[in-house]
Amino acid sequence: MNTDRTTVEELVYQTCTALDRNDYSEFLGLCDQQFEYKVTAFSPEIRKDMTWLDHNRAEMEELFHTLPKHNSDHAPLTRNAVVYKVSYDNDKKQANVVTALQIFRTNLDGGATQVFAVGKYYDTVSLDQDKPILVKRHVKLDTRDLGWGNHIPI
Amino acid sequence: MSRNSKQWTQKPNLPSTHYADPKIYSDPAIFEEEKEKIFKKVWMLAAHESEVANPHDFRTYEHPGGTRLVIMRGEDMKIRTFYNICPHRGNLLVYEPSGNAKKLVCIFHQWAFDAKGDCVDIPRGKAGYQDRICESDVGLREVKTEVGYGGFVWVNLDDSCAPLSAHIGSALDYMMPELETEPLEVLWYYQATLRTNFKLIHDTNQEFYHDYLHYHNRITGMLDPKSGYFQRRYTAFPNGHASVGSMNVSYDAYTGSGHSALGWPKLPPNGWKLVDLFPCITYNLRTSVLRIDSYIPLGPDRVLLEFRILGLKSDTPEVRKQREKDAATIWSPFGRNLHEDLLASSGQGMAMARGSDPMYVLHAREEDNLIHDEVGMRHYLEEWSAWMGRSSSDSTRKIADSKPQATAPAHQEQDVAQPA
């Protein structure tokens, strides 16, 4: 098992830059065949967790495949991630990674940038292969008012 | 052929019911008038009873009339609503959006109020006020509250308003079997703040011609002759409400839809019913999930959208998870349809902003009240004109006094909130 923290951090950052470039094949190339992806937010108004996306790998592939058929403003998102904590599970040959996340949206017209969302990634990374592979990503959002929203996983 | 300035701003050669003066979507004076003549008089959907399920649960609501409210369930299980303001020095009484408290205690000077709105403690009251002011003089301002139509909490700032049933009429009868068959529960609550006029985003629920915006709706409805899409019919009801007939959504046509066979009690499989209520509330029951939209206008060009996604109170965790998944495909902030709707109505807000020289807005499609007919918007603006006392097609033209509101009969002036 490779316990080099740097390679784990680089995996997290590479998923961000791949999504920033809308390079979905690169993103999926960093993910396991059993990849699971989820976006949740806790609502203080109703005191419940809300699950806004919950996909396996096949569903993520379909989501990316249908994106061009939908209307959007196409304003690019930029992810700023800082890996806070990497803990290792030697039995499972995995790392559990907590990453602070800020996402900015830049208008195509004029280039003004605003904060789109803040939250954290809770990732499970397999260390059983030559290089780390993302097995599970749980995005916990603090931001709940996302304006007119977005189609692209964050 | 392109148009010059005169042609661009001239009224369409159509009946005045078939276009709207763009000023009604951007004029600050008209917006202030809407607050006074509509929002301070009309019933608004403020919460669901499941959000205040237990005694002493409270929930805040930013009323579009401009007043912040707090909704609270008492020990008697009755739901009451009060101005969220301490009568002492005008501080917010409740800061958190929800919670549970036996007493609402103002953080400023610790004045305390119970779930009936009675002041129950003024620290050092006698020492400071002697006998000039006592607890019974400084209760909270209570607001008319009713619970109904699926367990929703409705409020009206006008003490002399008619009962909620007089406002809703028969508009929700079409959906009542699905709404009343089992208790409901809110699964999601989320907001979206947009730079647009509230009537423009409400239009996205009142006309379906805009399904050309949505790939999902085209592929699962418009393009499938078996779906019954083009047979969906609008029914207009008194007071500006309208319903849209059901269809059979072809979820399988959307690759990766992942939509379950879960369904909803009493609703036909893959069914979709929708009811729009004046001035900006929508009941949208789509196959396995109920979505409720209630909009809070913040200005002529700014609106806070409240979305609630509901399932059944009896849902197991597994069923709830599936309902959330069904809702997420189109209606979450990352959903296929919601982003498109919010983008388009924001685009209208930007393009028709004050001073932008917009044209008259067309509401002129006539298709025998079928799905691409724009009768829903015409019916709505007819009601809007009656409440405002001004024409929606020529906002400078007064048409009559604003719509008279029936005064509640004496025997109904008492609170009519229902126990859970």
Side-chain angles (χ1 to χ4, degrees):
Chain A
M1 186 175 85
N2 181 357
T3 57
D4 179 1
R5 177 176 169 130
T6 305
T7 62
V8 173
E9 291 183 353
E10 285 178 352
L11 170 70
V12 173
Y13 297 143
Q14 201 178 346
T15 62
C16 291
T17 55
L19 287 173
D20 285 355
R21 292 194 307 275
N22 298 334
D23 188 338
Y24 308 126
S25 58
E26 180 186 335
F27 174 77
L28 289 170
L30 302 168
C31 302
D32 190 73
Q33 290 302 314
Q34 305 302 316
F35 179 57
E36 296 173 21
Y37 176 88
K38 188 157 75 169
V39 179
T40 67
F42 176 77
S43 164
E45 294 92 352
I46 59 171
R47 289 162 280 173
K48 287 190 176 89
D49 283 311
M50 308 176 288
T51 303
W52 286 343
L53 275 179
D54 185 3
H55 286 327
N56 59 30
R57 183 180 175 110
E59 290 166 334
M60 287 294 275
E61 288 173 358
E62 292 294 352
L63 186 157
F64 292 137
H65 174 69
T66 55
L67 280 179
K69 298 175 180 176
H70 287 277
N71 287 297
S72 182
D73 58 329
H74 303 296
L77 299 179
T78 304
R79 293 154 184 82
N80 180 34
V82 178
V83 174
Y84 276 0
K85 186 178 180 184
V86 181
S87 53
Y88 296 95
D89 185 328
N90 291 323
D91 294 338
K92 293 183 178 176
K93 296 182 179 174
Q94 289 179 338
N96 296 309
V97 188
V98 180
T99 302
L101 177 71
Q102 302 94 43
I103 306 170
F104 302 92
R105 185 192 331 237
T106 302
N107 289 344
L108 286 176
D109 186 359
T113 296
Q114 292 179 314
V115 175
F116 175 64
V118 300
K120 286 189 178 67
Y121 286 152
Y122 291 83
D123 290 337
T124 303
V125 175
S126 170
L127 303 174
D128 199 20
Q129 300 169 52
D130 293 344
K131 56 182 184 178
I133 293 287
L134 188 60
V135 175
K136 190 186 292 186
R137 167 159 290 172
H138 182 175
V139 187
K140 290 189 181 180
L141 282 179
D142 296 321
T143 306
R144 303 184 308 284
D145 185 339
L146 294 160
W148 61 45
N150 200 291
H151 282 156
I152 298 171
I154 50 176
Chain B
M1 189 173 73
S2 61
R3 290 181 278 179
N4 62 27
S5 174
K6 185 180 175 186
Q7 293 165 329
W8 175 248
T9 54
Q10 75 184 19
K11 289 181 178 175
N13 187 22
L14 292 163
S16 61
T17 51
H18 285 47
Y19 57 87
D21 183 343
K23 288 192 186 72
I24 72 169
Y25 302 116
S26 62
D27 188 286
I30 289 178
F31 172 69
E32 290 303 318
E33 201 174 295
E34 286 173 323
K35 282 171 67 173
E36 294 300 318
K37 292 185 173 177
I38 298 176
F39 290 107
K40 290 185 179 178
K41 304 283 184 185
V42 74
W43 284 97
M44 291 299 298
L45 188 153
H48 186 260
E49 63 180 349
S50 67
E51 295 169 57
V52 284
N54 302 306
H56 307 295
D57 279 354
F58 65 83
R59 178 80 171 89
T60 58
Y61 175 58
E62 187 174 349
H63 192 283
T67 310
R68 292 175 180 272
L69 304 178
V70 56
I71 300 157
M72 192 167 191
R73 190 185 287 273
E75 284 182 19
D76 56 1
M77 296 304 282
K78 184 172 173 179
I79 296 171
R80 299 175 179 84
T81 305
F82 310 102
Y83 280 16
N84 184 12
I85 183 170
C86 177
H88 174 215
R89 295 278 298 282
N91 187 30
L92 271 182
L93 197 50
V94 173
Y95 283 72
E96 301 87 356
S98 71
N100 182 282
K102 285 191 174 173
K103 292 184 290 187
L104 300 179
V105 181
C106 179
I107 61 169
F108 212 176
H109 305 90
Q110 301 288 298
W111 285 33
F113 305 86
D114 67 16
K116 292 183 176 176
D118 297 335
C119 181
V120 292
D121 189 29
I122 299 176
R124 301 192 64 250
K126 196 80 173 176
Y129 300 110
Q130 297 82 41
D131 295 321
R132 294 170 296 134
I133 291 176
C134 62
E135 281 93 342
S136 62
D137 298 325
V138 290
L140 300 179
R141 156 74 159 99
E142 188 167 356
V143 172
K144 285 275 191 183
T145 304
E146 292 196 33
V147 180
Y149 302 99
F152 291 93
V153 181
W154 299 76
V155 296
N156 195 320
L157 298 181
D158 182 1
D159 282 346
S160 61
C161 67
L164 174 63
S165 58
H167 176 60
I168 302 292
S170 57
L172 278 166
D173 287 0
Y174 157 70
M175 204 184 277
M176 286 309 284
E178 290 87 351
L179 294 175
E180 299 279 324
T181 186
E182 283 192 44
L184 310 180
E185 184 162 324
V186 178
L187 307 181
W188 295 354
Y189 169 86
Y190 55 108
Q191 302 179 348
T193 308
L194 298 186
R195 293 294 302 269
T196 193
N197 185 273
F198 77 94
K199 296 185 290 297
L200 294 170
I201 179 65
H202 192 52
D203 281 350
T204 64
N205 287 327
Q206 295 193 116
E207 60 90 357
F208 280 78
Y209 186 42
H210 84 276
D211 274 339
Y212 284 102
L213 171 70
H214 301 307
Y215 171 69
H216 190 283
N217 287 6
R218 291 200 307 274
I219 201 80
T220 63
M222 203 190 301
L223 297 175
D224 181 357
K226 296 193 295 294
S227 69
Y229 175 88
F230 281 104
Q231 284 72 53
R232 299 184 85 185
R233 185 176 290 278
Y234 285 94
T235 303
F237 296 93
N239 300 333
H241 315 314
S243 69
V244 182
S246 189
M247 63 175 284
N248 184 2
V249 183
S250 307
Y251 289 104
D252 291 344
Y254 185 91
T255 310
S257 160
H259 208 281
S260 71
L262 192 58
W264 187 278
K266 305 280 176 80
L267 183 71
N270 295 340
W272 181 9
K273 290 185 173 183
L274 184 142
V275 178
D276 289 311
L277 301 173
F278 186 87
C280 46
I281 297 156
T282 299
Y283 279 61
N284 194 347
L285 177 58
R286 187 160 167 158
T287 304
S288 58
V289 178
L290 175 65
R291 178 179 124 186
I292 301 293
D293 297 9
S294 50
Y295 302 153
I296 301 170
L298 302 173
D301 58 354
R302 200 152 170 264
V303 59
L304 190 158
L305 314 179
E306 288 192 312
F307 299 106
R308 285 178 171 81
I309 295 291
L310 292 100
L312 305 177
K313 194 174 180 181
S314 62
D315 285 344
T316 63
E318 292 74 23
V319 170
R320 177 192 161 152
K321 185 178 177 184
Q322 188 58 57
R323 282 197 209 283
E324 288 191 279
K325 195 157 181 165
D326 290 349
T329 306
I330 51 174
W331 285 345
S332 89
F334 301 94
R336 298 292 160 267
N337 288 9
L338 189 73
H339 173 46
E340 293 171 333
D341 276 330
L342 303 192
L343 190 61
S345 53
S346 297
Q348 288 179 289
M350 287 188 273
M352 291 197 283
R354 195 175 181 216
S356 62
D357 194 26
M359 71 296 137
Y360 285 88
V361 180
L362 297 178
H363 294 157
R365 294 185 64 84
E366 292 185 7
E367 295 191 53
D368 194 24
N369 290 353
L370 293 172
I371 192 68
H372 286 183
D373 199 311
E374 290 174 339
V375 62
M377 292 189 294
R378 291 194 293 274
H379 181 62
Y380 176 90
L381 287 180
E382 184 182 359
E383 182 72 10
W384 183 90
S385 298
W387 282 78
M388 293 288 284
R390 65 168 76 231
S391 165
S392 61
S393 60
D394 177 357
S395 63
T396 61
R397 186 165 66 86
K398 298 290 177 76
I399 55 172
D401 292 337
S402 58
K403 184 173 180 176
Q405 292 300 293
T407 301
H411 69 276
Q412 289 180 318
E413 284 189 350
Q414 58 189 344
D415 292 316
V416 287
Q418 303 161 2

